[in-house]
Amino acid sequence: MISKICLKNLVASLVVVLLGGASFAVAQSAPRPTLDYEFFKTRVQPIFLKRRSPDNARCYACHEKEKHPERLSLESLSSGATTWNEEQSRKNFEATSKMVTPGNVKASMFPFHPLAPEAGGDGLSIHAGGRQFETTEDPDYKTIAEWIGGAKAAGR
């Protein structure tokens, strides 16, 4: 005959096994997206150097590390360079990654802050470089959203 204590232990063990299996199944079905460095380097990082309109500064113009040491702080370009080297790109990736929640664009400061308030952007704080994205349909905004959503570089 099974004692009450043994029965309680058996039931508790069964619950742990069942719940553990359920959480494992959930984890298996919905993996958390990760940020892809190559996608960032080839598709997102060039946006920082792009002159988007006559009314807006390039992201790099204000967010260069020397001028903007906090939050989105981009490495200074080497003298005469038109883009970042590998080490600088990795540092830019690290700095930008701190401003996103992988898999959740709406919870990410980047690109929420430079998005026009009418499109759902940060209306409480002024973005000195202008609103870089008038809508979430902007191709560059979509590229950034893809990266945050876990997009991988071609061939990966």
Side-chain angles (χ1 to χ4, degrees):
M1 177 165 208
I2 300 176
S3 71
K4 287 184 180 181
I5 293 173
C6 274
L7 187 57
K8 284 182 182 179
N9 287 341
L10 181 63
V11 169
S13 295
L14 184 59
V15 168
V16 167
V17 168
L18 290 174
L19 289 178
S23 62
F24 178 76
V26 169
Q28 289 292 320
S29 65
R32 185 173 180 203
T34 57
L35 299 172
D36 186 70
Y37 168 71
E38 287 299 323
F39 188 93
F40 171 83
K41 185 173 93 171
T42 59
R43 303 275 312 280
V44 174
Q45 189 173 241
I47 296 168
F48 299 146
L49 297 173
K50 185 177 182 180
R51 177 98 178 162
R52 296 187 40 79
S53 81
D55 298 331
N56 294 343
R58 295 180 307 149
C59 302
Y60 177 72
C62 296
H63 288 278
E64 179 187 9
K65 185 166 53 174
E66 300 298 320
K67 298 174 188 167
H68 202 279
E70 297 177 12
R71 296 190 187 172
L72 182 56
S73 183
L74 301 170
E75 290 296 302
S76 299
L77 289 170
S78 300
S79 181
T82 58
T83 192
W84 292 277
N85 64 33
E86 188 68 21
E87 179 183 353
Q88 293 168 325
S89 291
R90 291 243 177 234
K91 288 179 180 179
N92 287 343
F93 175 76
E94 289 172 20
T96 308
S97 295
K98 291 177 184 174
M99 301 192 65
V100 304
T101 302
N104 191 341
V105 176
K106 292 185 180 189
S108 301
M109 171 65 96
F110 173 77
F112 181 66
H113 191 53
L115 178 63
E118 304 78 33
D122 178 2
L124 302 175
S125 179
I126 304 238
H127 183 252
R131 295 302 177 172
Q132 296 290 330
F133 311 112
E134 294 300 321
T135 73
T136 56
E137 295 302 310
D138 180 286
D140 289 337
Y141 182 92
K142 284 183 167 186
T143 297
I144 292 166
E146 286 176 44
W147 174 64
I148 294 170
K152 305 292 181 218
R156 293 183 52 123

